[in-house]
Amino acid sequence: VNVRVELDTHGRPIGLPGDGSTPAELPADRIEIRRGRCEIHQPDRQPITAEGFAGELRGDKDHASVAATVPKLLGGSWSLQGTLSLTSTTASVNVESNAFTFDTLQLSRLAGVPAWDQQRMQASGRLAVNATVAIDAGQQVTYHVDLQLDSGQVRMEQLGTGVTEIAGHLVADDGLFTIPNLSAAILGARVSANGHLDANPGRESGQLKVQLDGLAIDNLPIDAEGLKDMEGEISGTADLGLSLRAGKWNLAGSGQGQIDQGAWRGIPIEQLTCQFSMPSWTLDEPLELPETGQLKTEFRVVDRRLPTLLGAIAPDTPIQRDKLDGSLSLTGEITIPLRS
């Protein structure tokens, strides 16, 4: 059997058998398929071809059911089970694959694959898919997709960096994406996250909870004057919100944490906690930090020699530090603008 599926520019199927007026019929109660071939075509996209699939098609007067295996498609093996109404355009299909390697630069050129903005983000990794797709009588497509991701990488040109070692679970339901659990490495730190994103037109928004461990201050992509003299590793949590305004994604949120092995101008700081707030951050090119965002830190210095402290705080002060003696303990608070 050789099957050709035509999609329009929006990814909707064209010319499914049966329009409700002329019922279709199977030529037999059971059809066995060997060495099958299926092609999916869409304007301005490269076709997807599955060759060598095998299975069987069973039917009665009104419905047909299909079960098939595809040994090689997009680098993975797939299984398929579904039903098709012979009197209308309704259909339901469940598709499952083993883990295969993907690259959005290649996938986004193929028929039936959702568009991906390669200028903003490129992704690759290993992916296992379990999906159910249904088409109603009005050719409206609904879907539930369960993805298991491993060895993922995302390159974000705006930040000039990438996210690596991405692994976790993602679920997509008709434009609503849920992240039950996800872990990754970014800027030398470990990140875990969960949340959701609604990509349906008019409802574009999302919430994300993030746990960060071991982010070195030196690796922060922030050119803030107050951070240049600080050392240490940040660990903490953040609540982030996404929204779409005037065609641009905006990020806002807040978080809190602590800085381990902290130091300021070489002076060890025994306790250093931090909070940040970010009212609005537009994900655009070039990417700029918000003028209203800030990093607030609380610190404690215990029993430090006065000459050492004065040399760090005011190195140009005309005081003979060799005549100073004693030590000092202090606590304080610093608020640093994220963009300065």
Side-chain angles (χ1 to χ4, degrees):
V1 61
N2 191 350
V3 179
R4 181 184 176 100
V5 179
E6 295 282 352
L7 306 177
D8 63 16
T9 56
H10 300 288
R12 294 186 295 254
I14 301 174
L16 286 176
D19 59 3
S21 58
T22 305
E25 291 185 6
L26 285 179
D29 293 335
R30 176 180 178 273
I31 300 174
E32 183 179 352
I33 303 170
R34 301 175 182 174
R35 297 184 300 278
R37 176 185 174 91
C38 179
E39 297 179 359
I40 302 176
H41 291 259
Q42 187 177 10
D44 302 321
R45 296 288 191 94
Q46 298 175 6
I48 293 179
T49 303
E51 295 192 65
F53 72 83
E56 67 174 18
L57 188 66
R58 294 178 177 271
D60 53 29
K61 182 178 180 181
D62 299 320
H63 294 85
S65 62
V66 61
T69 58
V70 183
K72 188 174 182 180
L73 173 63
L74 302 176
S77 61
W78 300 69
S79 62
L80 179 149
Q81 292 183 331
T83 59
L84 172 67
S85 171
L86 301 178
T87 58
S88 66
T89 58
T90 59
S92 177
V93 178
N94 177 259
V95 179
E96 188 172 352
S97 81
N98 66 345
F100 64 93
T101 301
F102 76 95
D103 187 320
T104 55
L105 191 61
Q106 300 172 350
L107 286 179
S108 61
R109 300 170 180 167
L110 300 178
V113 177
W116 185 280
D117 191 343
Q118 294 294 332
Q119 293 182 345
R120 293 183 178 275
M121 190 181 299
Q122 297 179 18
S124 62
R126 287 183 59 78
L127 194 65
V129 179
N130 189 328
T132 300
V133 181
I135 305 172
D136 63 18
Q139 296 197 5
Q140 180 70 34
V141 179
T142 58
Y143 59 87
H144 172 89
V145 183
D146 199 301
L147 305 175
Q148 289 288 343
L149 178 63
D150 187 27
S151 305
Q153 299 185 49
V154 174
R155 177 70 183 176
M156 302 178 68
E157 296 297 335
Q158 304 99 315
L159 292 179
T161 186
V163 184
T164 60
E165 302 177 30
I166 305 172
H169 183 200
L170 297 90
V171 179
D173 280 292
D174 302 327
L176 179 63
F177 298 86
T178 305
I179 306 172
N181 60 80
L182 195 68
S183 64
I186 181 172
L187 299 171
R190 296 299 305 176
V191 178
S192 58
N194 63 80
H196 69 272
L197 173 66
D198 193 339
N200 288 293
R203 303 205 310 258
E204 295 93 341
S205 62
Q207 291 291 133
L208 197 64
K209 293 184 179 294
V210 180
Q211 171 76 43
L212 177 69
D213 293 298
L215 173 60
I217 293 177
D218 291 344
N219 291 338
L220 284 171
I222 301 174
D223 187 21
E225 188 70 28
L227 293 178
K228 292 182 178 179
D229 300 320
M230 295 184 65
E231 303 173 20
E233 293 186 348
I234 301 174
S235 298
T237 59
D239 291 311
L240 304 176
L242 278 167
S243 60
L244 188 65
R245 303 172 188 168
K248 297 179 180 180
W249 284 99
N250 290 267
L251 182 66
S254 61
Q256 55 281 321
Q258 65 183 34
I259 299 178
D260 299 315
Q261 304 174 20
W264 180 74
R265 294 187 179 178
I267 301 174
I269 301 175
E270 296 196 5
Q271 177 181 325
L272 186 57
T273 60
C274 58
Q275 300 176 347
F276 82 90
S277 61
M278 191 166 54
S280 181
W281 183 358
T282 301
L283 300 178
D284 201 1
E285 293 189 35
L287 189 60
E288 293 185 347
L289 290 168
E291 295 182 5
T292 54
Q294 64 183 26
L295 178 69
K296 179 181 177 182
T297 64
E298 297 178 354
F299 63 91
R300 184 176 68 186
V301 178
V302 179
D303 198 23
R304 292 297 161 186
R305 301 289 296 171
L306 280 174
T308 303
L309 280 174
L310 185 59
I313 296 172
D316 299 326
T317 301
I319 296 178
Q320 295 181 346
R321 291 193 293 273
D322 57 346
K323 295 183 179 181
L324 290 175
D325 196 11
S327 60
L328 180 68
S329 298
L330 59 92
T331 60
E333 181 180 291
I334 301 175
T335 300
I336 302 170
L338 292 182
R339 193 168 78 178
S340 60

